[in-house]
Amino acid sequence: MTQHDSHAGTALVVVAHHRTDSLTAHTARRAAVRLEAAGYRIDLLDLHAEGFDPRMNTSDQPDWSNREKAYSGEVHAHMQRILDADVVVAVFPVYWQNVPAILKGWIDRVWNYGFAYGRSKPRLAGKRMLWLGLAGATADDPIVEGMQTVLEANLSEGIAYYCGFSHSAVGLLTDAEERPQRVDTEGNLRVGEAVTGAEREAQYADLDRRAREFVERFVAGALVAA
Ligand SMILES: Cc1cc2nc3c(=O)[nH]c(=O)nc-3n(C[C@H](O)[C@H](O)[C@H](O)COP(=O)(O)O)c2cc1C
């Protein structure tokens, strides 16, 4: 967490990856730097490093007859971090056209009834959200169009807007694997030759550029759909 003053507010950057040397973690760090440069105070939430348990439990299960239910202390601490944020940026590898389990569990447990939804005046109203998903599929894979659609339906419509966010966008970063992946017409996953050397460096640089564009367009309020 950085301490200096800012004008833009606080950005909660949520990282969902088990390796700190992953492309996902790298992309999250770069996103945080861009957001900081844009004037945001950064609250970096590395779900794995903080040992977040994504499993639902009885303390954090909603009670539909009591929207004032006191959830666990861990969940209340996470709720406070969301309340303190003006924007939330989640950075994650796309797993099965969705967010990985640890991020899904964070939403399941923390974005809870009476806090994130279920009130006539939503507490999260007006906040803005960017979902930055890294995908192994190559940009020319026909599966990508459906992936974008399903992620937007799920994450923007089904979660962020449902919880009163004023803006939500999905930035899908394809070609995140060093061995290009593509599903062929018969449904088989075709894994190509590993990209190495200068070509690999160019691939990294291109992913960094696309990620940066998503973040800058989001900051400028111009990222509607990818
Ligand atoms: C369980 C699992 C499911 C995956 N599902 C998808 C998928 O649905 N679409 C896709 O393009 N890539 C998929 N991938 C590939 C990951 O998106 C890719 O490995 C990751 O973004 C690479 O980033 P990283 O090096 O930070 O892990 C999957 C990978 C795993 C391990």
Side-chain angles (χ1 to χ4, degrees):
M1 203 183 283
T2 52
Q3 296 298 323
H4 58 77
D5 291 341
S6 75
H7 304 290
T10 296
L12 177 63
V13 178
V14 186
V15 195
H17 204 286
H18 46 286
R19 279 188 291 108
T20 50
D21 66 350
S22 62
L23 202 48
T24 300
H26 161 85
T27 303
R29 286 190 292 269
R30 284 182 63 98
V33 168
R34 296 310 315 158
L35 289 160
E36 198 167 21
Y40 286 95
R41 188 186 76 88
I42 306 298
D43 180 5
L44 190 67
L45 167 54
D46 181 331
L47 291 168
H48 281 272
E50 294 198 19
F52 183 77
D53 183 351
R55 293 172 302 175
M56 181 54 83
N57 56 54
T58 45
S59 304
D60 297 322
Q61 177 190 316
D63 174 351
W64 304 120
S65 65
N66 177 20
R67 69 180 186 187
E68 312 299 340
K69 175 174 174 174
Y71 299 107
S72 68
E74 183 189 15
V75 156
H76 275 283
H78 279 276
M79 287 172 170
Q80 192 59 50
R81 288 170 81 171
I82 298 172
L83 283 175
D84 289 345
D86 300 280
V87 303
V88 181
V89 177
V91 190
F92 58 93
V94 173
Y95 282 179
W96 294 112
Q97 306 218 352
N98 213 320
V99 295
I102 196 163
L103 180 54
K104 179 62 165 46
W106 181 68
I107 295 162
D108 291 347
R109 285 184 61 208
V110 180
W111 297 43
N112 218 325
Y113 177 49
F115 167 69
Y117 63 94
R119 290 185 181 276
S120 53
K121 282 191 185 153
R123 292 186 175 164
L124 307 185
K127 297 185 189 296
R128 302 170 67 245
M129 176 105 202
L130 173 63
W131 308 84
L132 264 188
L134 287 82
T138 55
D140 61 351
D141 190 325
I143 208 167
V144 169
E145 195 183 328
M147 201 184 306
Q148 178 81 39
T149 305
V150 90
L151 287 169
E152 276 171 11
N154 214 350
L155 306 176
S156 288
E157 298 297 334
I159 300 173
Y161 291 134
Y162 186 80
C163 293
F165 275 62
S166 64
H167 180 77
S168 175
V170 174
L172 185 56
L173 295 161
T174 57
D175 300 87
E177 284 285 339
E178 60 179 8
R179 291 165 69 93
Q181 299 180 349
R182 199 178 196 292
V183 177
D184 70 14
T185 47
E186 261 130 48
N188 301 304
L189 180 67
R190 298 282 172 207
V191 181
E193 290 297 308
V195 180
T196 55
E199 204 186 336
R200 180 63 176 151
E201 290 308 311
Q203 186 186 344
Y204 273 136
D206 189 60
L207 194 133
D208 282 349
R209 180 191 57 76
R210 287 181 282 136
R212 180 181 171 145
E213 271 178 27
F214 280 137
V215 173
E216 289 185 346
R217 281 164 58 206
F218 173 73
V219 164
L223 186 60
V224 177

